[in-house]
Amino acid sequence: RPLGLLAPPCRELAGTGSGEAALEENPFYGKYRHKIQELRRSSPDVFESRMEKRNEVKKQPVGYSKQGEFIKCMEEKARPIFFAEGLGTKTSKGGFTKDKTLDSILNVEMVKEKSAEEIKQIWNQYFSAKDTVYAVIPAEKFDLIWKRAQKCPSFLYALPRKEGYEFFVGQWSGTELHFTSLINIQTQGETAPSQLVLYHYPELQEEKGIVLMTAEMDSKFLVVHEAQCLANQVQLFYATDRSETYELVETFNHRSSEFKYMSVIAELEQSGLGRELRPAQVSDKS
């Protein structure tokens, strides 16, 4: 199996002896033989480079050996590297990544060998350790969202606050969905900066039946659970089977004079998506 094209940096390590013969003499060699051979077979240039480095470095003082670290480094190199940690990306104004491609995050060629369920597990496990929003969307659901986004590229979303709601406008730009608060747009117009961007990747949609999604946000304005609430509303309004719910999106885009803000709040409260944002608030409605 080929190694990932982009792997975490691993410093060159040296031990006593020289060449492969010395390496095989090490008492730990047998334990790691298959991993070292896998590295030698799948990436001979990396293997030879490490062998040469061992020969070049002077013998260390007695009692000082990094052979164990060398083999540990070999072992790490032999693991598949699915994620690229955003290498090769550029940031635009506001700190958001410009041209954030799936290849800049994930080793696409490697995961193509995996099933849809395995890719989902890899994606979720990776991003669960990060402070961000992410999802694996079924192809059919994203197809519906995408078709509707072409006809209705913007919508008004309501984010529950301790008192009342804060409105955000979501605007599609290709497969990116940019959010900014309504007050930002009212005060800055078209130059209003994004506060949350959802990145959708349909590269695996046809072959695997899934669309990968992740996000970036401005932490000065939003925290993860608030961004998640906005992301969930995209599916609530754009992927709904209820014609009345999607009609709100159509009204906002094509009959703005008829659009009522309170209709969005009513749909949100009915869905229950915003309840966790106001845990201390007790309803006294009769």
Side-chain angles (χ1 to χ4, degrees):
R1 183 177 300 168
L3 288 175
L5 297 180
L6 295 171
C10 189
R11 59 195 175 98
E12 306 294 344
L13 300 169
T16 59
S18 62
E20 294 179 43
L23 184 62
E24 292 176 6
E25 290 174 2
N26 188 281
F28 295 100
Y29 178 79
K31 180 179 178 181
Y32 296 97
R33 180 196 306 270
H34 66 288
K35 293 186 180 294
I36 296 171
Q37 289 177 343
E38 182 179 354
L39 177 63
R40 177 165 49 191
R41 180 174 57 255
S42 61
S43 188
D45 291 343
V46 173
F47 183 83
E48 291 300 327
S49 172
R50 298 200 177 280
M51 290 298 100
E52 290 171 8
K53 277 287 184 180
R54 294 183 72 254
N55 294 340
E56 292 170 5
V57 178
K58 293 181 180 180
K59 189 175 181 179
Q60 300 290 348
V62 175
Y64 182 88
S65 174
K66 291 207 171 185
Q67 186 66 57
E69 289 186 51
F70 175 78
I71 293 180
K72 181 181 178 182
C73 186
M74 287 286 200
E75 181 183 18
E76 291 174 354
K77 276 289 188 180
R79 295 193 191 117
I81 305 300
F82 294 112
F83 290 89
E85 295 289 356
L87 294 176
T89 58
K90 299 177 181 178
T91 57
S92 58
K93 185 178 180 181
F96 292 95
T97 304
K98 184 179 180 181
D99 302 324
K100 190 179 178 73
T101 64
L102 183 59
D103 282 326
S104 71
I105 305 172
L106 186 69
N107 189 322
V108 179
E109 288 305 313
M110 178 173 285
V111 299
K112 280 184 178 179
E113 301 175 5
K114 304 292 183 180
S115 68
E117 185 58 34
E118 288 173 322
I119 296 171
K120 179 179 179 180
Q121 291 176 359
I122 291 168
W123 188 262
N124 289 343
Q125 183 177 3
Y126 178 76
F127 283 104
S128 65
K130 297 183 178 295
D131 203 25
T132 191
V133 174
Y134 59 94
V136 178
I137 306 171
E140 310 79 36
K141 180 175 288 188
F142 182 77
D143 191 49
L144 177 60
I145 293 172
W146 181 242
K147 287 178 179 177
R148 288 174 167 177
Q150 305 309 295
K151 299 176 182 177
C152 302
S154 59
F155 189 59
L156 188 74
Y157 302 85
L159 187 63
R161 297 300 193 186
K162 288 185 178 179
E163 296 181 2
Y165 290 83
E166 182 178 7
F167 289 96
F168 284 76
V169 174
Q171 177 74 40
W172 287 87
S173 175
T175 54
E176 296 179 3
L177 181 52
H178 293 249
F179 291 85
T180 190
S181 64
L182 180 60
I183 192 169
N184 265 354
I185 294 177
Q186 291 171 334
T187 56
Q188 300 183 53
E190 294 181 357
T191 62
S194 299
Q195 294 168 309
L196 168 68
V197 182
L198 303 184
Y199 301 95
H200 301 84
Y201 300 107
E203 285 89 334
L204 301 172
Q205 182 174 5
E206 185 174 340
E207 185 178 346
K208 302 295 183 180
I210 55 175
V211 172
L212 304 175
M213 186 273 280
T214 187
E216 290 182 341
M217 62 187 174
D218 189 335
S219 58
K220 296 191 297 292
F221 298 96
L222 292 167
V223 293
V224 172
H225 63 277
E226 294 169 340
Q228 185 68 63
C229 181
L230 292 172
N232 289 342
Q233 288 184 59
V234 178
Q235 298 200 32
L236 171 65
F237 289 104
Y238 277 83
T240 181
D241 292 327
R242 291 185 71 243
S243 58
E244 299 91 336
T245 302
Y246 178 60
E247 188 177 357
L248 293 177
V249 181
E250 292 181 309
T251 301
F252 182 82
N253 282 270
H254 305 296
R255 302 183 301 279
S256 58
S257 61
E258 302 174 19
F259 182 77
K260 295 179 174 59
Y261 287 27
M262 289 305 297
S263 297
V264 175
I265 294 174
E267 285 289 335
L268 184 60
E269 291 190 342
Q270 183 177 332
S271 72
L273 285 180
R275 282 186 196 135
E276 68 276 9
L277 296 184
R278 292 186 293 182
Q281 188 178 45
V282 179
S283 174
D284 58 358
K285 294 180 181 179
S286 55

